[in-house]
Amino acid sequence: MSMRISKKQSLSPFEDDELDDNNIEVPKGWLRRSIYYITMSPSDLQLIIYEHIESIDWDSKAVNVARPLGIGATVTFYLLRLIQDNVVKPNYYKTRRNQNMFDLSKSETLRKMEYLKHYSSSTISVEMSQYNWFKTTDRAINYLLYLILLINIKIAYTYIYKQYKLYSIFGMKPTKQSPNLTKKSLDDLSKSYYRDISKKNIWSMIKYFLFEKANGDMLDRELNDKYFYTLNKWNPAKFTTQLFVLFNPMIRGFLWLTDVSFVTILIVILSWVILDVVILRGYETKLIDEAIISAATINDINKKIVDPSVNRIFQNVMVDATDRKHSYVKFDPTIAHNPIFETHSLNGDLIREKYNKRTFEFEDVPDETNSHNRIIN
C-alpha cells in the first residue's frame, strides 16, 4: 500500500533513492576487496564480522558442524591424556629418577679409569636429552589440555548462563512461580522486589547489593496496577546444545582426574549415549512435541473462534432490478476475506486499493457501490 498526502498525491518515503542497491559500490576481485577491508576502520570491520556471524543460521549447522567439532575435541583430549599417562609421564619420571641415583663420576677411584669416565659422560648426556624431550612434551601437552579446558568452560558457561530470552508480561499475574519470573515497577524500572531477588542465587544477591542497589530501592509492598512481570526464559540454541552434549565438561573432568587407558574410551562413549538420549532425543523432542500441540491448539482456536469473528464471509450477488416477470439473480462464490484494502491519506481521504498479482502493485479501486450479501452462520 502506498503513502499519500491526499487521494491523488502520492508520497515516497525514499525520494533520493537512499536504499537503492545500484548506488552501493561493491569492490570486485579479491585484491580490491582485500584492500577495501584493510583500509576500513577497525570498528566498521568489527561490525561487518559481527553481522556476518549473527546472520549465519547456526541451528541448521548443529548436526553437520557442531557434532563433528564436539566429537573431535573430546577425542583429541582423550588422545592427549592417553599419550601423557602411558608414554610421556612414565619415561619422564623414569629419567628423572635415574638422575637422582648414585653418580659414578663423583668417585675418585673410578674417575681414574678413562673408559668408565667416557661411559658415564655419554650415558648422562643421553639421559639428559631424553629427560629434556619428555619434559618439553609433557609441558606442551599440558598447555593444549589447558586450552581445551578453557574452551570447554566457555562453551558450558554460554550454554547454561548466556542463552536467555526476555519476555515482558502485562495485564495478568502468572499463576505459576518460576525463579526466572521477576516483578518490575511501572513507576520506576530501576526498582526491584526483594522477594524476587531472594529467589535467585547468592551471587545475584551479592551483585545487587554491591552494584545495583544504588540505582533503585527494593520494594516490599505490592503496587496495584503499577507493575509488570519479566520472564527470563532459558533458550539454548541447537548448535551449543550439540557442543555441550558431545564436548561435556564432566567428561573433561573425568579424563583429567583419572588414569586414562584404552578402556576409558568406553566410558566416554557411554556418557555420550546417555546425554544424547536424555537431552537431544528426550528433552528436545519433548519441546518439539509440545510446540506441535500448541500450534494445533492455536490453529483450532483460530478456525473455530477467531476467523469467524474477524474474517467475515461475503458473497457478491447480481440482481435484476427491472420490472420483468422473471427476474435474474446471480450468486458469486463466497469469499472468506475482503481483497480490498482501505487506508487514509494524510489529509483524511479514504483510499481503497486492491493488490494486482500480475503487476505486483496496489491499484486504486473505482468509487462504485458493490452489493454484498453477508452470510451469517
Side-chain angles (χ1 to χ4, degrees):
M1 291 179 288
S2 59
M3 181 183 295
R4 300 187 183 184
I5 298 177
S6 63
K7 198 168 185 178
K8 297 182 179 180
Q9 185 178 1
S10 300
L11 177 65
S12 176
F14 306 107
E15 295 181 354
D16 298 332
D17 294 334
E18 296 178 356
L19 299 181
D20 190 3
D21 294 337
N22 297 324
N23 297 331
I24 301 176
E25 296 182 359
V26 179
K28 298 180 180 179
W30 65 271
L31 182 60
R32 295 180 59 187
R33 187 170 298 176
S34 301
I35 296 174
Y36 175 76
Y37 287 130
I38 291 173
T39 56
M40 186 181 296
S41 63
S43 59
D44 293 339
L45 186 61
Q46 181 183 2
L47 182 61
I48 291 175
I49 296 174
Y50 181 76
E51 289 180 349
H52 178 70
I53 294 174
E54 290 295 326
S55 62
I56 298 175
D57 187 8
W58 293 105
D59 289 344
S60 63
K61 302 179 183 296
V63 178
N64 298 328
V65 178
R67 289 184 71 90
L69 283 178
I71 294 174
T74 303
V75 171
T76 302
F77 194 90
Y78 166 76
L79 292 177
L80 290 175
R81 289 288 294 123
L82 183 67
I83 295 173
Q84 188 180 42
D85 286 347
N86 296 275
V87 178
V88 177
K89 282 187 176 181
N91 292 281
Y92 172 64
Y93 290 127
K94 181 179 179 181
T95 54
R96 186 177 181 181
R97 183 185 60 185
N98 292 336
Q99 286 184 346
N100 297 327
M101 295 178 64
F102 179 72
D103 191 0
L104 298 177
S105 61
K106 295 180 180 180
S107 175
E108 293 290 340
T109 305
L110 295 177
R111 275 190 296 180
K112 296 178 181 179
M113 303 178 183
E114 294 295 332
Y115 68 94
L116 288 177
K117 182 179 179 181
H118 177 72
Y119 174 77
S120 61
S121 61
S122 61
T123 304
I124 292 173
S125 62
V126 171
E127 290 181 353
M128 284 298 298
S129 62
Q130 292 179 353
Y131 173 77
N132 292 330
W133 187 87
F134 285 117
K135 181 179 179 181
T136 305
T137 304
D138 184 66
R139 185 176 298 174
I141 291 176
N142 284 328
Y143 287 153
L144 291 175
L145 293 176
Y146 290 143
L147 178 61
I148 296 175
L149 281 175
L150 289 176
I151 296 174
N152 187 232
I153 293 173
K154 172 62 178 176
I155 293 173
Y157 179 77
T158 303
Y159 176 75
I160 297 174
Y161 295 106
K162 288 297 183 180
Q163 295 189 332
Y164 283 85
K165 283 187 177 181
L166 185 63
Y167 296 88
S168 297
I169 303 174
F170 298 91
M172 66 165 291
K173 182 178 181 180
T175 57
K176 296 183 179 180
Q177 297 296 327
S178 172
N180 297 326
L181 191 66
T182 306
K183 183 185 289 186
K184 296 288 185 178
S185 174
L186 285 174
D187 295 334
D188 189 357
L189 297 180
S190 63
K191 295 180 180 179
S192 301
Y193 286 85
Y194 178 77
R195 182 178 58 189
D196 298 319
I197 298 173
S198 62
K199 290 190 299 184
K200 299 181 180 180
N201 53 35
I202 185 65
W203 302 112
S204 299
M205 297 181 65
I206 294 175
K207 179 182 176 182
Y208 176 82
F209 282 105
L210 292 179
F211 303 104
E212 300 179 5
K213 189 177 180 181
N215 298 328
D217 299 328
M218 290 186 299
L219 302 178
D220 294 327
R221 63 183 184 278
E222 298 287 341
L223 295 178
N224 295 327
D225 299 331
K226 292 185 179 181
Y227 60 87
F228 68 101
Y229 292 90
T230 58
L231 180 63
N232 201 19
K233 180 184 176 183
W234 185 49
N235 188 32
K238 294 182 179 179
F239 190 88
T240 53
T241 302
Q242 292 280 351
L243 278 179
F244 181 80
V245 169
L246 299 172
F247 193 43
N248 194 273
M250 293 184 294
I251 301 177
R252 303 290 86 68
F254 171 75
L255 294 176
W256 182 269
L257 297 175
T258 58
D259 293 333
V260 179
S261 62
F262 289 100
V263 184
T264 312
I265 192 64
L266 299 178
I267 302 177
V268 175
I269 295 174
L270 180 62
S271 64
W272 279 346
V273 172
I274 294 175
L275 292 175
D276 184 80
V277 171
V278 173
I279 296 179
L280 298 181
R281 300 184 183 181
Y283 188 72
E284 281 197 347
T285 306
K286 174 179 176 293
L287 296 178
I288 295 174
D289 295 340
E290 291 179 352
I292 293 173
I293 295 174
S294 299
T297 304
I298 294 174
N299 187 32
D300 196 27
I301 293 174
N302 288 332
K303 285 184 177 180
K304 295 181 179 180
I305 299 176
V306 178
D307 289 342
S309 59
V310 175
N311 299 324
R312 301 294 181 87
I313 299 177
F314 292 92
Q315 185 179 32
N316 294 327
V317 181
M318 184 183 295
V319 181
D320 186 7
T322 61
D323 295 335
R324 292 185 298 179
K325 186 176 181 181
H326 299 285
S327 59
Y328 175 78
V329 179
K330 180 182 178 182
F331 292 89
D332 291 336
T334 58
I335 56 176
H337 61 87
N338 195 343
I340 299 175
F341 297 89
E342 293 184 354
T343 58
H344 289 81
S345 65
L346 298 179
N347 293 335
D349 299 330
L350 179 63
I351 300 173
R352 304 173 75 245
E353 294 177 320
K354 185 177 181 180
Y355 184 73
N356 191 342
K357 295 182 179 180
R358 296 180 179 178
T359 60
F360 302 102
E361 293 179 353
F362 285 93
E363 299 177 351
D364 291 342
V365 177
D367 293 333
E368 59 183 7
T369 304
N370 295 327
S371 299
H372 290 86
N373 181 21
R374 179 181 294 180
I375 299 176
I376 302 176
N377 295 330

